[in-house]
Every structure is written in structure tokens, then in C-alpha cells.
């Protein structure tokens, strides 16, 4: 009987495993180690100051260690690895730090935060990517902490928090390449050092719509320090996407997609305009400072 035979084999295997204890685990660990490059294991162990036998597994990523540098005739460009999207991470955190030291922060009744997600380039569908429950859970826990009944979840308060929230999805934008200018619509070709880009796509590859785009422009208009550019992909060209539509669809939070323009995106060395770092910084600071006032004055 094949089934009885298989059952017997399984029973014997379980019995052997119980009898041998950890020896099989040690054998499995040894088998894994045999599949690894010995010199790599030795280097990792040396860097960590441990024995090779202490390494159970690892996740390693290769990246460019060459420092960023300025270039261009007047040093108007920044050349660096991973500008997409570490440039945004940098200016957003700097802006939040500056905002907490400003007078406006003392009277701010909102919860202001910066969320930096992994795995955007591979779809965001992970336990801690933008496709995870992280953002919705954060709003839920914040609203619970602010509930009149301590520690009690209030669905009405949670819903109100979502409705009053606003997300700037900020990912680097594709600037016009001088050798491939035809890849952009004539009136929608972002230029480096010319301002932050507002991205719109009717196929919902970007989350910007009429209301969120207007709010973004009003924020920068009130600040008076942030030039904006508009980007719409050509109708006959495919369009990339961002975490904006993912978070908007998961939470219902109003969202606008924007970004600083750059060239050579996803290359080992990318390039952007240094003025746009300042533009990005000023955009975040303006958002933190002026959003609530402008949003409260909207009618309709």
C-alpha cells in the first residue's frame, strides 16, 4: 500500500529526528555553509569580529561607495549613487527637523510625519513596503492614542483622521534628456534646476488629481519659495508608478505625486540639479507649515 508505505517512512523520519536531536540541524546548517563562498564568509566574519561558524544566514547588497561629487561648468549638478530616492529621504528628514524648531510647530495641531518605505523599486508588496498595512496602522494607532477614552479605538475618530490627512508621495522624476527630448510631451518636459515636478496620470499611475494638485500648488504659492513644473507622460508611452496610488487605495488618504527631476535614474551614478535639493527642502517645509490653513479654507 503506497499510503501505508509513505506513512511508515514519515514515522521513521520523525522518530530519527527526535532521536538525533540537534545533529540534523547542525548537518543542515553545515550543508548551507558549504554552498557559500568560503572567502566571503571569512570576510563577513572578520568584519563582524565573529567566527565563521556563528554565521547562520545573511542578506548582502552591493552598492557604490564612491562619494557624491559636484559637476557641470558652474558645479550646478550633483552626481551620486541612489539619488532615487535617497535625495528625497534626505531633504524630507531635514525639513522635518527644521520644522520642529520653528515657531509654526509650536501651534501645529496636526501629526506631522515622514514615512520612508523599502521595496518601492520591486513593487512595494512586502511586510514593510508601501503595500503593507504600515501606513493605515500608523494612523489607526495615532487616532487611538488621541481617543477621549484612553487606549480605545474609535472608528469615527479614525475615519476623520484619514479624511483630514494628506500625503505627498515624493519620488524622483525623469528630467528631459537632451538626446531624447522627443520622449516627453513638448509642454511637459521637466528640467533640472527648474523646480519640483507635479506628476499627473489619468491611468492612476500617479495619485495626483484636481484637488490634490491644487492643494500642492497653493501651498507653494503661499510659501513663494518653491518653483513647480508639470509632468504628464506621452499618451503613446508607458508610465511608471510610485507608492502614491498604493497608499491612496489602501487608506483613502488624499495624495499628490511630486518629485525632484533627475537624469540617469537607476544607473550606478545618477545626476540632479543642486538647486532642486533646495527646492525639495522648501517644498516639504512649506507643506508642513501651510497645509492645514489652506485645507481648512477649501470650500465644497
Amino acid at each position: 500500500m503506497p499510503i501505508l508505505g509513505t506513512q511508515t517512512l514519515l514515522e521513521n523520519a520523525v522518530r530519527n529526528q527526535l532521536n538525533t536531536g540537534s545533529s540534523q540541524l547542525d548537518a543542515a546548517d553545515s550543508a548551507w555553509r558549504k554552498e557559500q563562498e568560503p572567502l566571503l564568509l571569512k570576510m563577513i566574519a572578520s568584519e563582524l569580529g565573529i567566527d565563521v561558524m556563528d554565521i547562520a544566514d545573511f542578506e548582502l547588497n552591493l552598492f557604490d561607495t564612491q562619494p557624491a561629487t559636484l559637476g557641470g561648468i558652474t558645479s550646478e549638478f550633483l552626481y551620486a549613487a541612489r539619488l532615487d530616492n535617497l535625495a528625497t529621504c534626505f531633504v524630507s528628514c531635514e525639513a522635518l527637523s527644521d520644522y520642529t524648531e520653528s515657531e509654526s510647530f509650536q501651534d501645529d495641531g496636526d501629526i506631522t510625519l515622514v514615512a520612508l518605505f523599502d521595496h518601492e523599486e520591486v513593487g512595494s508588496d512586502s511586510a514593510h513596503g508601501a503595500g503593507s498595512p504600515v501606513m493605515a496602522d500608523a494612523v489607526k494607532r495615532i487616532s487611538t492614542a488621541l481617543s477621549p477614552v484612553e487606549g480605545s479605538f474609535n472608528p469615527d475618530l479614525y475615519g476623520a483622521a484619514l479624511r483630514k490627512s494628506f500625503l505627498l508621495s515624493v519620488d524622483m522624476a525623469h528630467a528631459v534628456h537632451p538626446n531624447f527630448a522627443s520622449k516627453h510631451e513638448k509642454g511637459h518636459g521637466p528640467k533640472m534646476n527648474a523646480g519640483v515636478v507635479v506628476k499627473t496620470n489619468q491611468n492612476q499611475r500617479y495619485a495626483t488629481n484636481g484637488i490634490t494638485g491644487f492643494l500642492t500648488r497653493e501651498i507653494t504659492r503661499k510659501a513663494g519659495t518653491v518653483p513647480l513644473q508639470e509632468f504628464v507622460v506621452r499618451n503613446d508611452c508607458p508610465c511608471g508608478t510610485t507608492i502614491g496610488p498604493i497608499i491612496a487605495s489602501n487608506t483613502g488618504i488624499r495624495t499628490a505625486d511630486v518629485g525632484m527631476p533627475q537624469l540617469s535614474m537607476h544607473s550606478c551614478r545618477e545626476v540632479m540639479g543642486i538647486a532642486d535639493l533646495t527646492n525639495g527642502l522648501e517644498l516639504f517645509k512649506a507643506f508642513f507649515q501651510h497645509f492645514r490653513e489652506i485645507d481648512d479654507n477649501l470650500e465644497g
Side-chain angles (χ1 to χ4, degrees), residues 61-106:
N61 295 281
L62 299 177
F63 60 92
D64 181 16
T65 60
Q66 182 179 350
T69 185
L70 298 179
I73 295 177
T74 58
S75 297
E76 69 272 31
F77 299 125
L78 173 67
Y79 299 92
R82 304 177 298 282
L83 290 175
D84 175 46
N85 194 30
L86 293 186
T88 300
C89 297
F90 170 71
V91 296
S92 62
C93 291
E94 286 291 301
L96 182 61
S97 177
D98 291 347
Y99 179 62
T100 59
E101 298 177 358
S102 68
E103 294 182 3
S104 300
F105 178 72
Q106 307 305 319

Side-chain angles (χ1 to χ4, degrees), residues 20-34 53:
T20 55
S22 62
S23 61
Q24 288 189 350
L25 296 177
D26 293 339
D29 185 52
S30 177
W32 172 85
R33 194 173 291 105
K34 287 180 180 179
M53 298 301 293

Side-chain angles (χ1 to χ4, degrees), residues 199-208 231-233 237 239-240:
K199 310 173 187 177
T200 306
N201 182 262
Q202 296 306 315
N203 290 326
Q204 303 302 307
R205 303 295 284 174
Y206 301 131
T208 310
F231 173 70
V232 178
V233 73
C237 291
C239 181

Side-chain angles (χ1 to χ4, degrees), residues 76-78 192-193 260-262 271-278:
E76 69 272 31
F77 299 125
L78 173 67
M192 291 189 293
N193 285 322
M260 297 175 287
Q262 70 162 95
V271 57
M272 68 177 295
I274 59 171
D276 289 323
L277 281 172
T278 300

Side-chain angles (χ1 to χ4, degrees), residues 39-53:
L39 291 178
L40 178 61
L41 291 176
K42 289 182 180 180
M43 183 185 71
I44 296 173
S46 176
E47 290 292 326
L48 297 176
I50 61 176
D51 188 85
V52 169
M53 298 301 293

Side-chain angles (χ1 to χ4, degrees), residues 240-257:
T241 190
T242 68
I243 66 173
I246 297 173
I247 295 179
S249 62
N250 284 346
T251 64
I253 294 176
R254 295 170 295 169
T255 304
D257 267 298

